[in-house]
Amino acid sequence: MKIKKKIALVAHDERKQDMLEWVKFNVQKLCGHDLFATGTTGKILVKECALGITRLKSGPLGGDQQLGAMIANGGLDILIFFWDPLTSQPHDVDVKALLRMSVLYNVAVACNRSTADYMISSPLFDDEYQPVIKDYGRALAQSVLL
C-alpha cells in the first residue's frame, strides 16, 4: 500500500449523514488520496466537501460490485463502509460479497465511525504498508480434490 492510498467511501441511506460528517472532519487527511464513492454518497460528498472523488454506480446498481472488482485487481487499499445494521438492503448479497472480497484480499475496512477514526489516525495511514495476502491456492486445491 503506497503512501497515497486508494480509499472507497460508501454509506447506506441512514448512514450518509454520518459519512458526510466524518469526511468533513477528516478532509485534510483525505485530500491527498485517491477517493472513490458509490452513487448518492459520492454525489453528496462532492457537493459538500469539494474533494476529488471518482463516482461509481449506486450500490444496488452495481457500485458494490465495481468496488469488489477494484479490490480483486489490487485497486483499493481502504474501504470505509458505513452500513446500516437495522435496515434490510435490496442488495444485501452484494454488500456481503464486497465485505468478503475485503477480507479475502486483506483490505483495511471500517464499518463504523469509531473504526474509521482509529484507521485514519493510525501512523500506518500516512506510511507505506504492505498487507499480507493469504494464498488460498492450497485450500482451493484441497477442496477440489475432496
Side-chain angles (χ1 to χ4, degrees):
M1 193 183 305
K2 304 274 191 262
I3 292 174
K4 185 174 184 176
K5 311 282 191 288
K6 296 176 183 170
I7 304 170
L9 304 166
V10 183
H12 284 153
D13 288 347
E14 292 297 318
R15 302 296 311 278
K16 289 190 190 319
Q17 187 61 39
D18 298 332
M19 176 64 75
L20 177 59
E21 290 171 10
W22 185 83
V23 169
K24 282 183 174 181
F25 185 80
N26 292 291
V27 71
Q28 291 302 315
K29 291 275 280 192
L30 293 169
C31 68
H33 300 281
D34 294 329
L35 304 175
F36 303 86
T38 53
T40 308
T41 302
K43 182 178 180 180
I44 292 168
L45 295 177
V46 166
K47 179 181 176 191
E48 297 289 328
C49 300
L51 286 168
I53 299 174
T54 300
R55 288 182 54 207
L56 306 174
K57 294 182 180 199
S58 172
L61 298 177
D64 297 333
Q65 292 180 357
Q66 285 178 296
L67 289 173
M70 289 174 68
I71 291 169
N73 291 313
L76 200 62
D77 301 310
I78 296 172
L79 173 63
I80 309 292
F81 187 176
F82 289 3
W83 58 275
D84 180 1
L86 299 178
T87 304
S88 178
Q89 303 295 322
H91 61 296
D92 275 340
V93 294
D94 298 329
V95 171
K96 185 176 180 182
L98 175 58
L99 294 173
R100 178 184 169 278
M101 294 298 288
S102 299
V103 172
L104 184 67
Y105 288 94
N106 204 15
V107 168
V109 179
C111 293
N112 59 42
R113 185 164 184 160
S114 293
T115 308
D117 287 341
Y118 272 87
M119 189 181 299
I120 201 165
S121 63
S122 166
L124 297 174
F125 189 84
D126 296 317
D127 291 333
E128 287 202 33
Y129 175 77
Q130 186 60 46
V132 176
I133 308 297
K134 181 174 175 61
D135 180 5
Y136 290 98
R138 175 190 264 160
L140 289 173
Q142 288 176 345
S143 69
V144 170
L145 296 174
L146 297 179

